């Protein structure tokens, strides 16, 4: 995911002394990170950071206070974190020490902003570090029972910060732990597992529901969630996604769930009413993304939705008001390669 610009747009949600709206994008080729001002559509592109992540940027996330921007990427040091302000990228923080092996796919910040966690293709599958204004602290001990395979975009802290969940290769495809200044004992697996490789996870804003996107039908599996872990599986939507649930995201109000679809079947994104279970599927966007989707993100106010995908223009955005509106104009400066991940600044 990426970041941009310096001057506050008139009417931008973060104007008046706070952080302005910003959208970050991670891509597969150099330059691998980009960012744009955001005010109900794409604004100017921010200058690229002086020290670019090495290798494709697979995951991206702003910290809860919007003051830091973390990327997981494909080559050493595999993790890059930058200060963020209305001027854009600051000087990259020193690397975590020691550098942890393997591509970092997903990024998640603890709601308190004092922990940053990564889903990884390396030996440990999931890692977490304390975070402060000084940067990385000493890596937390690994969980005693690791995920069974490489993790994907799927990593998330619960809204109260008391649990951490990751989606991954290999049964049970989703693994969850209590979190209290470190990983606790793994929760029991759900009684009904996702059907194949897990790609993504998303908590409902109320913290009582967990959605998992995965590689085979029904492509999205949703569970009740509590401090005890996985509850019963919700019934599938009556109209299923048509391909891989590469990323799932509840909107900020928790009444819509969107799915970025990862194979060559248009419209590459679906959205459903959520009301303690799946409701009707919203009409597809009239101008769908041009290709396989890799990531989806909601603006902090829930009024916009953005999809990252693998062909030009690579990011496609829509207003949202009880459904997809007319596609926003493309950014004036396109990202230039496969968009792997996308995130809004939540503090704007």
């Amino acid at each position: 995911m990426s970041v941009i610009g310096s001057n506050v747009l008139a009417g931008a949600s973060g104007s008046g002394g706070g952080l302005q709206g910003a959208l970050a994008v991670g891509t597969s080729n150099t330059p691998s990170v980009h960012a744009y001002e955001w005010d109900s559509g794409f604004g100017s592109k921010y200058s690229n950071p002086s020290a670019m992540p090495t290798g494709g940027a697979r995951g991206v996330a702003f910290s809860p206070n919007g003051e830091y921007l973390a990327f997981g990427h494909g080559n050493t040091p595999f993790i890059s974190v930058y200060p963020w302000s209305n001027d854009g990228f600051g000087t990259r923080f020193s690397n975590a020490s020691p550098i942890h092996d393997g591509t970092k796919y997903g990024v998640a910040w603890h709601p308190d902003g004092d922990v940053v966690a990564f889903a990884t293709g390396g030996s440990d599958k999931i890692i977490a570090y304390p975070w402060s204004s000084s940067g990385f602290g000493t890596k937390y001990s690994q969980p005693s029972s690791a995920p069974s395979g490489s993790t994907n975009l799927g990593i998330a802290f619960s809204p109260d910060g008391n649990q951490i969940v990751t989606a991954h290769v290999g049964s049970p495809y989703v693994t969850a732990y209590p979190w209290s200044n470190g990983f606790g004992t793994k929760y029991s697996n759900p009684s009904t597992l996702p059907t194949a490789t897990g790609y993504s996870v998303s908590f409902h804003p109320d913290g009582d529901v967990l959605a998992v996107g995965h590689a085979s039908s029904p492509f999205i599996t949703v569970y009740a969630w509590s401090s005890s872990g996985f509850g019963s599986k919700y019934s599938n939507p009556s109209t299923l996604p048509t391909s891989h649930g590469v990323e799932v995201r509840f909107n900020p109000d928790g009444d819509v769930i969107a799915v970025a679809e990862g194979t060559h079947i248009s419209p590459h994104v679906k959205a459903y009413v959520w009301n303690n279970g799946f409701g009707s599927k919203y009409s597809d966007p009239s101008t769908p993304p041009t290709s396989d989707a890799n990531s989806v993100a909601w603006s902090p106010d829930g009024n916009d939705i953005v999809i990252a995908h693998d062909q030009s223009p690579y990011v496609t955005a829509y207003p949202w008001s009880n459904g997809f509106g007319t596609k926003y104009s493309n950014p004036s400066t396109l990202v230039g390669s496969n968009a792997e991940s996308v995130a809004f600044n939540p503090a704007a």
Side-chain angles (χ1 to χ4, degrees):
M1 300 177 180
S2 301
V3 132
I4 85 177
S6 58
N7 56 323
V8 177
L9 298 175
S13 57
S15 60
L19 286 166
Q20 67 193 39
L23 179 76
V25 186
T27 66
S28 58
N29 295 326
T30 301
S32 58
V33 300
H34 307 260
Y36 300 88
E37 292 172 351
W38 183 268
D39 181 24
S40 299
F42 294 97
S44 300
K45 181 182 179 297
Y46 287 100
S47 297
N48 294 333
S50 56
M52 189 70 66
T54 51
R58 302 299 185 88
V60 60
F62 285 96
S63 62
N65 65 5
E67 295 178 0
Y68 307 106
L69 181 57
F71 293 89
H73 49 94
N75 294 335
T76 189
F78 303 109
I79 296 167
S80 293
V81 183
Y82 302 87
W84 181 260
S85 72
N86 287 343
D87 292 325
F89 292 98
T91 301
R92 192 172 74 88
F93 282 94
S94 297
N95 297 333
S97 181
I99 292 173
H100 184 271
D101 68 311
T103 296
K104 304 299 179 286
Y105 293 100
V107 184
W109 292 87
H110 190 277
D112 292 340
D114 58 355
V115 180
V116 61
F118 298 86
T120 173
S123 56
D124 286 330
K125 314 309 177 192
I126 183 172
I127 57 172
Y129 299 89
W131 182 263
S132 71
S133 59
S134 299
F136 292 101
T138 302
K139 187 174 78 69
Y140 287 99
S141 297
Q142 292 305 118
S144 57
S145 181
S148 57
S150 296
T151 48
N152 295 296
L153 275 179
I155 186 169
F157 283 99
S158 59
D160 63 8
N162 292 336
Q163 294 94 30
I164 185 170
V165 181
T166 186
H168 52 83
V169 175
S171 182
Y173 307 116
V174 60
T175 297
Y177 306 90
W179 181 269
S180 178
N181 199 34
F183 294 97
T185 302
K186 176 183 172 294
Y187 285 106
S188 297
N189 298 332
S191 56
T192 302
L193 299 181
T195 55
T197 292
Y199 290 124
S200 58
V201 288
S202 179
F203 280 97
H204 189 277
D206 291 341
D208 58 353
V209 176
L210 177 70
V212 183
H214 48 88
S216 68
S217 186
F219 301 111
I220 181 171
T221 299
V222 182
Y223 302 94
W225 181 265
S226 72
S227 59
S228 300
F230 295 97
S232 299
K233 176 186 173 296
Y234 284 94
S235 298
N236 297 331
S238 55
T239 302
L240 296 180
T242 48
S243 62
H244 297 183
V246 176
E247 191 163 36
V248 293
R249 284 287 179 265
F250 285 101
N251 71 337
D253 288 339
D255 57 3
V256 182
I257 185 168
V259 186
E261 299 178 305
T263 56
H264 305 296
I265 303 173
S266 187
H268 309 294
V269 62
K270 286 187 172 58
Y272 301 88
V273 173
W274 182 266
N275 183 11
N276 198 34
F278 285 101
S280 301
K281 185 181 82 67
Y282 286 97
S283 297
D284 297 332
S286 57
T287 305
T290 55
S291 58
D292 298 1
N294 296 316
S295 183
V296 60
W298 295 92
S299 61
D301 60 11
N303 291 338
D304 303 304
I305 184 171
V306 176
I307 296 91
H309 50 95
D310 67 4
Q311 292 180 18
S312 184
Y314 304 109
V315 284
T316 298
Y318 308 89
W320 181 272
S321 178
N322 199 34
F324 294 97
T326 302
K327 176 184 172 293
Y328 285 115
S329 297
N330 297 332
S332 56
T333 303
L334 298 183
V335 299
S337 64
N338 179 14
E340 302 269 9
S341 52
V342 63
F344 283 97
N345 189 326

